[in-house]
Amino acid sequence: GFTARRRTGIALTVLFPLLALSGYLLQLASDEGLRTLLGWGHAVFGVLFAGIYVAHLCVRPPPPITIEAFLTQTESPETEDSGPTRSRTADLHREPVVAESVRVAGSKTD
């Protein structure tokens, strides 16, 4: 799922600039041999791009996670020297950290 979409997404990201560059150079080329070469390259890049794009759309993404499932997940097992595994809900119930006022060197106080 996700890994396959990542691979096709990276392939599309690489192919798109090649497709755009070959199309641009195809318009600028005046030599007939170069135009033929650029035309074939542009066609190959276009077919590859279209095929990979369809594959990218057909690969299923992972199912979305619900809030309840996210909150009840536990963190990965911790090492011996760290604290026990805790629920992510514990992070929601922590007291907010309030920054103390800081005096900046050189500033004037009233």
Side-chain angles (χ1 to χ4, degrees), residues 91 93-100:
D91 291 337
H93 301 293
R94 287 188 303 180
E95 290 294 318
V97 177
V98 179
E100 297 291 327

Side-chain angles (χ1 to χ4, degrees), residues 9-79:
I10 290 170
L12 291 171
T13 303
V14 169
L15 274 173
F16 183 76
L18 295 173
L19 189 59
L21 182 64
S22 64
Y24 178 72
L25 293 175
L26 189 56
Q27 296 177 33
L28 296 179
S30 57
D31 180 57
E32 194 59 37
L34 182 59
R35 285 181 56 87
T36 302
L37 180 66
L38 287 169
W40 278 105
H42 187 71
V44 168
F45 293 147
V47 169
L48 283 173
F49 187 89
I52 293 172
Y53 183 67
V54 168
H56 184 74
L57 294 178
C58 291
V59 175
R60 288 179 158 240
I65 187 167
T66 63
I67 297 293
E68 293 81 17
F70 176 76
L71 292 176
T72 57
Q73 285 180 347
T74 57
E75 296 175 359
S76 61
E78 311 227 358
T79 59

